[in-house]
């Protein structure tokens, strides 16, 4: 039987969003999600939901090396990260930006026994409908961005590609509209985000920064042939009246 997709109404093209803006940056690790999320936070003056993975790891008093070898521990860890992410979003009443959403479940599918339970959970289906109503940017990986952050699996290219594919599978499986961000250039990334958010009805709070010193009015030289010599207006004298009656008066 064909896969079931939620039958939700779609907004007309370019229609501004109603209510708070929920902005998600999803993708594999080492794709620049946090850097771009901070830019959105600062430029639009909206809260940013910080990554919960590090705090959960600290609360469990676990290390990354332990997660790589203890399948039971990594399953509990990924479950708590997902639940904490949902709770963090529910606490936000207005607009926000988050540098991840369901992304940790892509890792759970690769390294834990959580997938059969979470992928059939009504809570996941409900959460993905919540994500569908937001603005989702899907950041694609680049080798140049690989770095070991001490929280997730080692940053080798094959692992990043696998997680990237799993994230895209979840976007498609739950029919989440998304904007792919494939450029490595931060300038092009911010231009894409700026335009998409403008179309969604979110205007930047801070004015665009000016980098050049202010100068006076610029005088543009005009070719001599186009210069029209101006003279003071001359009011012609009234001609003498030839009417004898007016002349006597």
């Amino acid at each position: 039987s064909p896969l079931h997709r939620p039958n939700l109404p779609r907004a007309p093209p370019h229609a501004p969003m109603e209510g708070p803006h929920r902005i998600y940056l999803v993708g594999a690790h080492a794709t620049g999600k946090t850097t771009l999320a901070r830019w959105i936070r600062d430029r639009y003056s909206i809260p940013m939901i910080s990554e919960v993975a590090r705090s959960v790891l600290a609360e469990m008093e676990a290390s990354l090396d332990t997660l790589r070898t203890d399948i039971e521990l990594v399953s509990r860890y990924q479950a708590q990260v997902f639940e904490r992410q949902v709770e963090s979003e529910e606490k936000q009443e207005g607009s926000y930006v988050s540098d991840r959403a369901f992304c940790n479940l892509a890792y759970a599918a690769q390294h834990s026994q959580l997938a059969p339970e979470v992928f059939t959970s009504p809570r996941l289906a409900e959460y993905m409908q919540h994500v569908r109503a937001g603005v989702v940017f899907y950041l694609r990986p680049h080798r140049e961005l690989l770095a070991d952050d001490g929280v997730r699996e080692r940053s080798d290219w094959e692992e990043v590609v696998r997680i990237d594919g799993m994230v895209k599978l979840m976007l498609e499986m739950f029919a989440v509209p998304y904007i792919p961000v494939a450029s490595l250039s931060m300038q092009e990334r911010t231009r894409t985000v700026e335009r998409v958010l403008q179309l969604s009805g979110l205007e930047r709070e801070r004015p665009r920064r000016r980098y050049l010193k202010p100068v006076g009015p610029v005088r543009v030289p005009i070719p001599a042939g186009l210069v029209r010599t101006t003279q003071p207006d001359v009011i012609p004298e009234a001609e003498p009246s030839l009417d004898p009656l007016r002349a006597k008066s």
Side-chain angles (χ1 to χ4, degrees):
S1 61
L3 292 175
H4 170 71
R5 293 195 174 195
N7 187 20
L8 299 178
R10 293 183 178 273
H14 307 312
M17 294 180 62
E18 297 182 0
H21 284 70
R22 298 190 296 272
I23 305 168
Y24 298 96
L25 306 179
V26 302
H29 55 287
T31 54
K33 299 189 300 296
T34 301
T35 300
L36 191 55
R38 288 171 179 163
W39 182 86
I40 296 172
R41 175 198 64 190
D42 297 339
R43 190 56 54 93
Y44 293 90
S45 299
I46 59 177
M48 173 180 168
I49 297 179
S50 301
E51 182 184 8
V52 300
R54 288 179 174 85
S55 59
V56 172
L57 193 64
E59 292 172 7
M60 296 179 66
E61 299 182 350
S63 66
L64 185 59
D65 290 335
T66 306
L67 290 179
R68 289 170 177 165
T69 57
D70 190 333
I71 192 71
E72 180 65 26
L73 180 63
V74 74
S75 298
R76 289 193 290 109
Y77 165 74
Q78 295 293 1
Q80 289 188 32
V81 169
F82 172 66
E83 291 178 344
R84 191 76 59 85
Q85 176 70 28
V86 175
E87 292 170 0
S88 299
E89 294 181 21
E90 290 176 345
K91 293 178 181 177
Q92 293 289 340
E93 297 181 356
S95 300
Y96 61 80
V97 58
S98 178
D99 60 353
R100 56 207 15 88
F102 53 85
C103 305
N104 82 289
L105 299 181
Y107 296 91
Q110 293 284 335
H111 303 291
S112 76
Q113 297 176 333
L114 180 65
E117 178 183 353
V118 71
F119 280 96
T120 56
S121 169
R123 188 172 190 185
L124 176 60
E126 180 181 352
Y127 174 69
M128 295 303 286
Q129 288 189 14
H130 180 79
V131 173
R132 289 182 79 250
V135 180
V136 180
F137 295 96
Y138 171 37
L139 276 65
R140 306 311 304 274
H142 292 270
R143 289 181 182 270
E144 295 85 346
L145 296 176
L146 292 184
D148 192 347
D149 63 4
V151 176
R152 286 171 291 267
E153 184 70 11
R154 62 189 182 279
S155 297
D156 63 79
W157 181 244
E158 290 76 14
E159 173 71 9
V160 170
V161 171
R162 285 194 295 269
I163 298 301
D164 174 74
M166 182 60 66
V167 170
K168 184 173 184 180
L169 174 63
M170 293 186 66
L171 288 169
E172 298 292 344
M173 185 169 64
F174 289 96
V176 177
Y178 61 89
I179 298 94
V181 180
S183 174
L184 181 61
S185 165
M186 187 63 178
Q187 180 208 47
E188 294 179 3
R189 288 182 172 204
T190 56
R191 287 284 188 254
T192 300
V193 170
E194 221 171 20
R195 182 55 175 156
V196 171
L197 295 183
Q198 182 184 41
L199 291 173
S200 71
L202 183 62
E203 297 293 338
R204 56 195 295 164
E205 289 290 334
R206 297 186 179 183
R208 188 180 297 276
R209 178 178 295 177
R210 304 186 68 87
Y211 299 96
L212 299 177
K213 295 180 180 179
V215 296
V218 179
R219 298 182 179 276
V220 181
I222 303 177
L226 299 180
V227 177
R228 183 173 67 89
T229 304
T230 58
Q231 297 180 350
D233 293 336
V234 179
I235 302 176
E237 296 182 0
E239 297 181 358
S241 176
L242 300 179
D243 188 342
L245 296 178
R246 290 186 179 179
K248 289 181 181 181
S249 60

